[in-house]
Amino acid sequence: MQSKRTDRSYENELRQVRERLLIMAGRVESMLERSIEALVEQNLPLAESTIRQDRLVNQDEVETDELCLLILAKRQPMAKDLRFITQALKMVTDLERIGDLAVNICERVLDLADQPPPKPYRDIPKMASIVQAMIRDAVDSLVDNDVEKAKEVIRRDDEVDGLYIRIFKDLIAIMMKNESKIPACIHVQSVAKVLERIADHCTNLAETVIFMVHGLDIRHEGKLVTN
């Protein structure tokens, strides 16, 4: 009887880790969405309120870390459960960094407050939409042990890189034609670079899932596992 209660308690702790990851991922996804909306609409109050949300993400990281470390110390998980907990510890670090990068976008919004945008925002929202889906799918793939979804996240990183290159070239052309737009263009390029970096963090998350399920570390191989 005691063993069954212990098993239920252990499963509940693992479930809590999954739930906390989903909550944290949802929070940083929302922060990213709000930061891009603030950029496009030049909404300074929205940018400022999004920056304040970062403290909740930091709290998510600390609490999830504490729970994972407690499980490691108290339960001494083995095999698949051990991989899940150790990879969850890595994932919260990537998610926390994504929250920081969303804050960076909001800071660029504040910097652009007294400057008109150098061009209509078209590719930036498209880029952000892809990255948001990457965040959501990366964490879903962890919770569902879905390697195929994780692989798709990794593939989409190339699309984000392509959009970044296009945005960068467009901004260079604008700056060459009109030097007065250089400061604004630099801020917009910074936003695009932040989105590209967030996509890299999403790739890290997806690679974590592949390791958790297959026990294969593909971080430095530059290619997807095929089996």
Side-chain angles (χ1 to χ4, degrees):
M1 188 67 175
Q2 179 65 35
S3 177
K4 289 184 178 179
R5 284 199 297 268
T6 300
D7 289 345
R8 284 198 297 269
S9 177
Y10 177 44
E11 288 301 321
N12 182 56
E13 289 168 356
L14 293 175
R15 184 171 62 253
Q16 285 183 52
V17 174
R18 291 185 177 91
E19 290 173 352
R20 286 174 181 270
L21 284 170
L22 287 171
I23 290 170
M24 190 175 180
R27 206 185 304 278
V28 299
E29 183 186 344
S30 174
M31 286 180 65
L32 177 58
E33 181 179 10
R34 287 160 59 90
S35 68
I36 297 302
E37 180 181 346
L39 174 71
V40 173
E41 303 295 332
Q42 294 183 294
N43 188 330
L44 303 189
L46 181 59
E48 291 166 346
S49 67
T50 302
I51 290 172
R52 291 193 293 270
Q53 289 291 308
D54 189 48
R55 62 183 177 81
L56 298 176
V57 173
N58 294 338
Q59 183 178 336
D60 288 337
E61 180 189 26
V62 170
E63 292 178 353
T64 305
D65 277 350
E66 288 176 349
L67 179 56
C68 288
L69 292 174
L70 179 64
I71 292 172
L72 287 172
K74 186 171 67 172
R75 306 296 188 185
Q76 297 183 341
M78 301 292 289
K80 188 175 180 180
D81 288 347
L82 178 60
R83 289 205 300 266
F84 170 71
I85 293 300
T86 56
Q87 298 313 300
L89 285 166
K90 292 182 179 180
M91 292 189 89
V92 293
T93 300
D94 278 300
L95 289 170
E96 188 276 335
R97 187 59 187 137
I98 290 171
D100 287 344
L101 291 169
V103 168
N104 289 349
I105 293 175
C106 290
E107 291 170 346
R108 300 290 77 73
V109 173
L110 300 179
D111 291 335
L112 284 163
D114 58 350
Q115 303 178 53
K119 59 176 287 188
Y121 294 116
R122 286 190 294 266
D123 290 335
I124 292 281
K126 181 178 180 181
M127 195 176 180
S129 178
I130 296 169
V131 172
Q132 283 176 257
M134 289 175 71
I135 297 171
R136 184 167 54 250
D137 288 348
V139 176
D140 284 349
S141 69
L142 172 74
V143 173
D144 299 332
N145 292 334
D146 190 338
V147 169
E148 291 306 314
K149 185 175 286 187
K151 290 179 181 179
E152 184 57 33
V153 171
I154 295 171
R155 293 187 187 101
R156 272 182 283 174
D157 186 49
D158 290 337
E159 187 176 357
V160 173
D161 289 343
L163 283 169
Y164 172 72
I165 292 171
R166 187 163 78 189
I167 291 168
F168 183 76
K169 289 180 177 178
D170 286 348
L171 292 171
I172 289 292
I174 291 170
M175 288 187 285
M176 290 179 66
K177 290 179 180 178
N178 190 339
E179 291 185 0
S180 68
K181 292 185 178 293
I182 289 177
C185 284
I186 289 173
H187 287 308
V188 175
Q189 186 273 334
S190 178
V191 170
K193 184 61 179 177
V194 165
L195 289 172
E196 189 266 339
R197 290 172 64 193
I198 292 176
D200 288 342
H201 283 286
C202 293
T203 298
N204 292 345
L205 295 172
E207 290 171 345
T208 292
V209 173
I210 292 172
F211 175 77
M212 187 189 74
V213 176
H214 287 313
L216 297 174
D217 189 343
I218 66 165
R219 288 176 296 173
H220 304 298
E221 291 183 6
K223 59 183 179 180
L224 297 174
V225 293
T226 57
N227 58 351

